[in-house]
Amino acid sequence: MLLLRSARVVSPPDQLDAICDLRVVDGRVAEIGVDLPAGDSKVIDCRGRAVLPAFVDLVAELPDPGMSWREDLRSGSLAAAAGGFATVLVSPVNDPVLDQGALAQGLVQRGRGAPGARLLMAGALTMGLDGAELAEIGSLLDEGCVAISDGGRATKDLSILRNALEYARPFGAPVLLRPGIPALESRGCMHEGAVSMQIGLRGIPAASEEVGLAAIIALLRLTGGRVHISHLSTERSVTLLSQARAEGLSITASVAARSLVLTDEQVSLSGYSSATRLLPPLRPESDRRALCRALADGLLDCVSSDHQPWTRVEKEVEFERCEPGAVGFESAFAATLTALEGDLPLVARVLACRPAQILGREVGIRVGAPADLVVVDPNVQRPVGPPRYSRGVNEPLRGQALRGRVELTIVDGVVRHSLTDRPTTR
Amino acid sequence: MGARDLERSVARLANEITEHLGDPDGFVLIGIITGGAHLAERLAARIGAVEGKRPGLGTIDITLYRDDLYTGLEKPSLGETHIPFELNGRVVVLVDDVLFTGRTVRAALDELMDYGRPDCVQLAVLIDRGHRELPIAADYVGRTIQTGKKDRVVVQLVEDGSPEDGVKVLRAGRGQP
Amino acid sequence: MKRKDMLGLRDSTAEEIGLILDTAARFRSVSERRIKKVPTLRGRTIVTAFFEDSTRTRLSFDVAAKRLSADTLGFSASSSSTKKGETLMDTARNLDAMKPDAIVIRHPCAGAPHMLAQAFPWSVLNAGDGINEHPSQALLDMLTMRDHLGSLAGRTVAIVGDVYHSRVARSNLYGLPKVGARVLLAGPGTMCRPQMARPGVELLHRVDDVLAEADVIMMLRIQRERLAPGMMSTSREYARFYGLDLERLERARPEVLVMHPGPINRGVEMSPDVADGDRSVILEQVTNGVAVRMALMYLLLGGEPLPPGGDDAAAS
């Protein structure tokens, strides 16, 4: 039994935002009130702290099996819990790719038994994520996968994409897609614009994402079904998304937390640091502001960690040659809180409530609900350090002074991360 | 040392050089940049006035030959080595304002050898302040003065933009090691 | 010069550029002497690490280092273990163990010199990184222009051709406006893009558009292997709009200088009679290259801040 004492409890679905005490018994919220008696409960003093529904991440890579030196399910799960996440949807970028029902069972079980955040599996959309043949979408979902994903590989062949959406529709699970036109991205390694021109790097035009998104929307109109855009990064993409939603299409989207803080200038400022090589790339300031605004306006649904761990071996290479991607679990909350100017109810919505709803999970802080909770200090401001739990080293936010820190993550009523504990794995 | 003393020293140096070396066609003066360059010009002018003709005149910048390049200079700016005559078989008089450790002269000698093979090189200085660190001695000395190792000796010439000619010894401050 | 590295002209100041050019002008005399060598960098080790083929630039740096009496070590990608999967940082750590004082690096990836400069104590000279910068080439261009034009302030330099893929052009685009020159760009739309324009840099189109105003016409090399499909049509079409021939040169200012970073595709960006004609200063560029590289090595390796007082004691 746990008693969180004198916290600001914020839960938008329950219209709750008040300073109160919160008791957790047997994995569920048992009592919410003022001056609750301690009884047998372990009391945690939460003065000056806020309690939110624990975060849910729709976009993260844990390449286990296959490249578990980069991150395995255990280190990834602990890193996620340290970032305040209770639930993570894992992209099917492992090796072998999670494209057959037979591969799913073991992985789904390992994910549920992970020591930090619970890990849910997304199955692959196409065999080997090659974009050529359909994966066993139905079997994957039957064996416990909760979504289908292109693993961040924009699908080259639009007829395959169309068929995949048609095929997936009756199974009802969301299909995660990254919008992009591979031919427009082929040699690029950062956002194409003034900065890429200045520092001599070939660019990826925003048009690649926007053409890709327009194609997905047009196909979705044709096929029906549910699509979640896993990586949205430009202002015009927000416009396309809201138009599609206005006409009733079932489409939602995530933005990476770091994209709310960093811009393409960071590539130059960091001296070509390979940690700033991302896909989609960091965009200019106007896009960054538009993304923050879109979250506040509800046009954009979720913030993801877009966690892609790489070790020194893979990232300590020339910018143009390194793999894109960055770690994200442990800095996502602070990046989001900083970008959204400390608006805790909004943070709860974009990091916890909307992503949970997209996965069809119950979310909120109310008596009887599962106790997935995060305790945060919303006031502390400090520079981002290296990841403590993840095996990845590629943190582009490193050194940025961000606001907010996760202190405690509770999954099903059990403390899975506590700031005061030493990391148990590295 | 005032302007008049300095002029007398220059005159004496010029006399000694011509006494030893004879006809100004038989030797050349090469001033070490920066302090020696203007001094060499003065010597050449003085010799010209007395003898009716001037010796050949050049300058040498020793920056690229210094032995303290990595620790010594704030902004290593280069002067111009200008030797408008063949050095092979010549008698060369190197000219500098102050002879101190001898390292500048060492550098100048090395550089001269890269330009040619003179028959003979001699050294003329306005001031010998002692404290040699290399086995180098001047053939012609305007004046010898006693200094502390940390003192600074500054030769001012109007050509450098100084208000008047003169030599100053700036004594190292008390309490310095 | 108070910097460890020369990575590009983007972050250089007008004063630094002036100092480098002045110093380079002095160094030219060393190459004209009987003994073409000064002991300045004796005992220092300079590694030329070329991860991309370039005989000319490499020779130029090598000669410059030798004329300053530095010891030079050559290292090229074809003879190295990079082909066996060693990363740039692995290679650099090995080089570091040899205690070099400076590394001259050419690399196909933009930012590779910056990566080494951040990680190691030795000086890094960028001899061309990807499509980013090639500062020593731009500096020798500027020295050559200065020889003919005097000050570059108020002068107009046209850069014609594949500006997008040219690190020489990119360095000139940064350097020239800093010393007061005006830059005109001309070339195909795929190679001259609107983002390049900024104060001091104007974007035009055809070579004809720049002829009347240019004091200098710098023709860039077309490197077909760098071009993505669709960036250019035929060589014939290229020459028609963006090539320099004698007929066009006659419409330029009579004293115009024609430059090219070499090697030239005769008949594409330039007709042979122009490349070898009397307005061409291409060989002077080569001579100035050695002097500029000597100046860079000298200024980067040649001195540390003087402790206050006692300049007499230093060498006198």
Side-chain angles (χ1 to χ4, degrees), chain A residues 197-198 272 316 318 320, chain C residues 93 107 110 131-132 170 174:
Chain A
M197 198 62 74
Q198 274 167 26
Y272 300 87
E316 198 184 75
E318 301 85 322
E320 293 186 60
Chain C
R93 284 190 194 104
H107 198 283
I131 60 168
N132 182 33
R170 207 169 252 100
Y174 289 119

Side-chain angles (χ1 to χ4, degrees), chain C residues 70-124:
Chain C
D71 296 314
T72 59
L73 292 175
F75 171 92
S76 66
S78 49
S79 70
S80 77
S81 28
T82 49
K83 290 253 161 76
K84 300 168 200 154
E86 191 179 76
T87 68
L88 176 61
M89 288 300 277
D90 288 337
T91 306
R93 284 190 194 104
N94 275 288
L95 293 176
D96 184 48
M98 297 173 197
K99 308 287 174 212
D101 297 287
I103 286 193
V104 177
I105 177 173
R106 163 161 301 188
H107 198 283
C109 296
H114 305 67
M115 188 165 130
L116 298 190
Q118 282 179 8
F120 294 99
W122 19 266
S123 292
V124 176

Side-chain angles (χ1 to χ4, degrees), chain B residues 11-25:
Chain B
R12 195 167 57 247
L13 278 175
N15 281 341
E16 284 180 25
I17 290 168
T18 45
E19 258 171 44
H20 271 85
L21 300 178
D23 187 349
D25 285 342

Side-chain angles (χ1 to χ4, degrees), chain A residues 299-319:
Chain A
L299 298 176
L300 198 47
D301 302 273
C302 317
V303 173
S304 74
S305 73
D306 193 20
H307 184 75
Q308 282 187 62
W310 293 100
T311 63
R312 197 172 301 282
V313 179
E314 293 105 1
K315 272 292 180 180
E316 198 184 75
V317 293
E318 301 85 322
F319 190 93

